[in-house]
Amino acid sequence: MKVFAGAAAVILATAPVAIAASPHKATEVLVHGAFETSGVWDRVTAKLEKDGYSVKTVDLPGRPGNEAPMSAISLDLYQQTIATAIAGERHPVVLVGHSFGGFAISAEAEAEPDKVQTLLYVAAYLPRSGDSLLTMATADRGSKLAPLLVINKEKGYASVAPEAGAAVFASDAPAAVQSIVAGGIVNEPLAPLVTPIVLTDSRFGSVDKVTIRTLRDQVVSTPFQVEMAKSTPVRLQLTIDTGHTPFVTEPNRLALEIEKAAGPHRRTL
């Protein structure tokens, strides 16, 4: 689904023209968050490719673009999906995770640390071992998302009322854009959200980490993003003055921040 991308197009009418990717730049692998598909990255991808980056986007299982039974979906499957996406890469990649995508990229770094140059957390959860999305979201007292969640244990998914969710996800966007964002909200498999992640200092802890903090976020609150970066050492902390979905309201600016975070290669395979 490309609805989030359509919302970005309302704000930015002209798309940048892609050029050939530079062999000297790390591949950027973009991983969406909960209630999203890979379409949220379309405008960011266009800018990164214009600037010479090779980009891959990942649709995690259990949503349009990668259908799977809810009963078969797990955090391990999310990690394996990312591993499959980067299996052919000759150099370590930059894994970019938005929101709950922070869990997915962290799991991949734990499984295959040598394949990851940098973990980049965009308005994302930066977990410690033993954390789950449920425990972290519950600890975030500044988040306005929790009252909007509907948990369907029988069918194995969480959902958000589209219009209410869009008003929180894209809180800094005009109403017309929020309406488009609402059409892109999908159900989220429940099991990965409640699964504690296992991370070790020798594997996950060895991988370079950067955060892009969103200064008007109502989903992963800005103070909570600050606290997470204090709990887990990161090389660089960047900021962007948006709500939770900068790929909608400031896609070109977000792409530039991602480029700042990438830096030179630090690993070889």
Side-chain angles (χ1 to χ4, degrees):
M1 294 179 68
K2 305 296 183 183
V3 184
F4 279 90
V10 172
I11 297 175
L12 296 175
T14 58
V17 178
I19 61 176
S22 166
H24 304 296
K25 296 178 179 179
T27 297
E28 306 281 345
V29 181
L30 312 181
V31 182
H32 62 77
F35 310 106
E36 300 169 354
T37 71
S38 64
V40 301
W41 296 112
D42 283 357
R43 299 288 299 184
V44 175
T45 296
K47 172 61 175 170
L48 290 172
E49 291 180 341
K50 177 179 180 292
D51 292 346
Y53 287 85
S54 176
V55 182
K56 291 184 175 182
T57 58
V58 177
D59 265 311
L60 297 175
R63 67 202 72 239
N66 191 356
E67 301 281 0
M70 293 291 178
S71 60
I73 297 168
S74 65
L75 185 58
D76 284 344
L77 183 58
Y78 282 2
Q79 176 270 310
Q80 292 160 15
T81 301
I82 298 173
T84 298
I86 67 174
E89 292 293 320
R90 296 176 59 190
H91 301 285
V93 303
V94 175
L95 286 183
V96 183
H98 175 247
S99 196
F100 178 65
F103 271 84
I105 66 172
S106 297
E108 170 58 13
E110 175 67 21
E112 300 184 302
D114 291 339
K115 290 204 167 185
V116 184
Q117 172 183 298
T118 297
L119 293 169
L120 175 52
Y121 297 83
V122 179
Y125 291 99
L126 175 51
R128 297 170 296 180
S129 190
D131 284 337
S132 70
L133 182 282
L134 177 63
T135 61
M136 296 192 81
T138 301
D140 183 2
R141 297 182 178 180
S143 175
K144 296 183 179 180
L145 181 62
L148 307 179
L149 293 176
V150 177
I151 306 300
N152 190 322
K153 292 183 179 179
E154 181 180 350
K155 295 186 177 180
Y157 66 78
S159 62
V160 177
E163 294 296 337
V168 173
F169 293 153
S171 56
D172 54 328
V177 173
Q178 290 182 1
S179 180
I180 296 172
V181 169
I185 294 175
V186 300
N187 292 336
E188 184 66 25
L190 187 57
L193 303 182
V194 300
T195 302
I197 195 168
V198 177
L199 303 170
T200 61
D201 290 341
S202 61
R203 299 179 72 81
F204 168 77
S206 71
V207 180
D208 179 56
K209 301 173 185 69
V210 177
T211 61
I212 298 179
R213 185 183 308 153
T214 38
L215 299 180
R216 289 185 275 165
D217 203 315
Q218 296 185 4
V219 177
V220 184
S221 73
T222 305
F224 195 67
Q225 292 181 51
V226 171
E227 289 303 312
M228 288 187 289
K230 288 180 180 178
S231 298
T232 299
V234 299
R235 169 175 58 86
L236 180 64
Q237 298 183 54
L238 302 170
T239 61
I240 187 167
D241 189 18
T242 70
H244 190 60
T245 53
F247 40 71
V248 170
T249 53
E250 292 283 354
N252 284 358
R253 172 64 189 280
L254 176 58
L256 291 175
E257 296 303 311
I258 290 172
E259 292 172 15
K260 287 181 189 177
H265 286 293
R266 274 172 290 276
R267 294 173 179 238
T268 56
L269 291 178

